[in-house]
Amino acid sequence: MFGNAAKRECGYDFPLARALNFGEQRVWLLSAPRVNAVSFVAAGAVAFKLMDGVWELRWMYVHPFERGKQVIDFYWPRFVALYGEFTVQPPVTATAQTVLNRLGWTTDGPRSAA
């Protein structure tokens, strides 16, 4: 569903993902953090892929109703714990760049403290 939504919204030629073509990607369906544990509201999805021994964030999509509610921020520590200093596949939209900046991240990984 989110793969098709991103296709329509961003003008891609094909969906970002379909259940049958995840392949080597690890796709996360993100629930809305504001919802309690007894219900599930799908807020978005992200996908990681191992590229030349380094995990790469391939794409992320947050439903329009959940944007601005820090969904990615909520899950980011889990992604870092699982995938380490992963990279982010460019190109990155202006909105995604804002999220990465807020999280102290670049397309090459965490921003150095230098």
Side-chain angles (χ1 to χ4, degrees), residues 41-105:
V41 173
V46 298
F48 290 86
K49 185 172 183 178
L50 191 59
M51 301 292 292
D52 298 323
V54 176
W55 284 102
E56 180 178 76
L57 175 59
R58 301 290 290 201
W59 56 266
M60 61 182 167
Y61 179 82
V62 176
H63 189 279
F65 292 162
E66 295 300 325
R67 292 180 189 158
K69 298 178 182 173
Q70 285 72 44
V71 172
I72 299 297
D73 302 52
F74 179 80
Y75 287 97
W76 201 261
R78 293 178 184 142
F79 300 151
V80 173
L82 287 169
Y83 305 114
E85 295 186 359
F86 57 86
T87 61
V88 178
Q89 181 186 39
V92 175
T93 65
T95 302
Q97 188 61 59
T98 299
V99 172
L100 292 174
N101 289 344
R102 185 173 62 241
L103 295 166
W105 217 263

